[in-house]
Amino acid sequence: METSIIHNLDARVKVVAICSFVALTSTMNSIPLLATAVLFLLFLVGIARIPAGSFFKRLLWIIPFGGMLVVLFPFITPGVPAFEIKTGLFTLTASEDGINRAAVLFCRVLAAVSALSLLTSTTGFSALTAAFKELRAPSLLVSLIEFTFRYMFVLSDEMQRMRTARRARCFEGGGSLFNRHVFKTTGQLVGVLFIRSWERGERVYNAMLARGYSGQAGPVAGRSFSIKDLCLGAGILVFALSLRLIEIGGQLWQMSLK
C-alpha cells in the first residue's frame, strides 16, 4: 500500500479537516479563490503520490451530479444576455449571471469531489468507519454505510455467478433490450438477483445474531493524536478558513467603497 504523510495522517483528524474544508469552500462565491482551493487539493494529491489517472477518474462523478445543473444554469437564470443558441423552433438565451453561477457551482463541486476523493484514496474503509465511530457519528448511519459497502461485493459475486450460469446455457448478452428474448432474460436476472440477495441477507443477519450482534457498533481501539497529525490537520483547516476570510474581507472592502 502507498504511504505518505497524508496516508499516515490520523483518520479522525483527516475526516474533520477534509469535511470542514468542504463546508467552507461550499459557501464561497469567488471563482479565483475556489480555483485556489482546488489547486491546494491537487498539491495534497501530489504529496500523497496518488496516481493521476485514478484520481481524475473519480472526478468523473461530477458529470452526473453537477453536470446537468452547470449546463442548465446559463439558460434558466435571468440576466443580461450573453449569447444565443437557435435550435429551429426555439432560441435559447444564456445570461451572464447564469454563466457566473454555473462557473461557481462547477468550482464548488470540483473542490468538494476532489477533497472527498483525497480522503477516500488515502484512508482505508475500516479506518474511515472507525474514525466516524470515534467522532460519535450515529451508530445506525455507520452500520448502514458498512453494510452497503460490503453487500456491494456480495451482490457483485452473486451476479457474476448468474452470468456464468447464463453463458453455460448458451445465452449471448449485449443485445438490444427491445429484443424479446434479451428483455425476458434480463428481467428474470433482476428478479432472481433480488430474491437471492434477500435470502443471503437474511442468512448473514441470522449468523451475525448467533455471534452476538445486537445492532450496536463494537468498541473501537482509539489512539492518541500526535503533534504532527494536529499540525497537518490544522494547516488544511486554516488554509480553507483563510480563503473564506479573504472572500469576506473583499466583500466588505467593496461595500465600504460604495
Side-chain angles (χ1 to χ4, degrees):
M1 181 179 177
E2 187 71 39
T3 58
S4 68
I5 187 172
I6 303 296
H7 285 84
N8 295 330
L9 178 63
D10 187 278
R12 293 163 295 180
V13 175
K14 211 181 314 185
V15 167
V16 172
I18 295 295
C19 291
S20 301
F21 191 97
V22 173
L24 287 169
T25 54
S26 297
T27 60
M28 293 167 57
N29 295 309
S30 170
I31 295 175
L33 292 177
L34 284 169
T36 306
V38 174
L39 291 176
F40 177 71
L41 291 170
L42 293 178
F43 171 71
L44 295 181
V45 168
I47 291 178
R49 296 194 292 272
I50 300 173
S54 64
F55 180 77
F56 287 110
K57 191 180 295 182
R58 289 169 181 257
L59 298 186
L60 294 178
W61 285 102
I62 295 175
I63 295 176
F65 288 102
M68 289 301 296
L69 288 177
V70 170
V71 172
L72 290 177
F73 262 157
F75 301 101
I76 62 176
T77 305
V80 179
F83 63 89
E84 292 182 346
I85 298 178
K86 295 182 179 179
T87 60
L89 297 176
F90 303 100
T91 300
L92 301 176
T93 303
S95 66
E96 294 180 357
D97 291 342
I99 294 174
N100 184 63
R101 288 184 62 183
V104 170
L105 176 64
F106 176 77
C107 292
R108 284 179 181 176
V109 175
L110 180 61
V113 175
S114 300
L116 296 178
S117 296
L118 175 67
L119 175 64
T120 55
S121 298
T122 58
T123 312
F125 182 75
S126 58
L128 198 58
T129 53
F132 279 116
K133 291 174 186 174
E134 291 190 67
L135 292 171
R136 305 298 182 188
S139 59
L140 181 61
L141 176 63
V142 178
S143 298
L144 189 63
I145 294 173
E146 288 179 325
F147 288 142
T148 301
F149 182 78
R150 287 172 179 147
Y151 270 90
M152 285 171 59
F153 296 99
V154 172
L155 295 182
S156 176
D157 292 342
E158 195 73 41
M159 183 175 287
Q160 186 59 41
R161 281 200 294 272
M162 293 173 68
R163 290 179 62 185
T164 303
R166 282 189 307 161
R167 288 175 182 170
R169 293 194 290 270
C170 302
F171 174 79
E172 294 293 335
S176 171
L177 282 177
F178 294 103
N179 183 289
R180 183 180 177 184
H181 181 60
V182 174
F183 185 81
K184 181 180 177 182
T185 306
T186 305
Q188 290 174 343
L189 171 70
V190 174
V192 173
L193 179 64
F194 176 78
I195 294 173
R196 287 191 180 186
S197 304
W198 177 73
E199 290 177 344
R200 187 158 182 177
E202 286 293 308
R203 289 199 302 271
V204 171
Y205 183 67
N206 290 331
M208 291 170 63
L209 292 178
R211 291 182 175 88
Y213 177 71
S214 61
Q216 298 294 325
V220 179
R223 68 179 180 89
S224 58
F225 301 112
S226 68
I227 297 298
K228 186 170 70 174
D229 292 332
L230 294 177
C231 290
L232 187 54
I236 296 173
L237 190 56
V238 166
F239 187 86
L241 187 59
S242 301
L243 293 178
R244 185 71 182 104
L245 292 177
I246 290 172
E247 185 182 59
I248 294 174
Q251 292 172 349
L252 294 176
W253 179 256
Q254 290 178 355
M255 292 175 61
S256 64
L257 291 178
K258 292 182 178 178

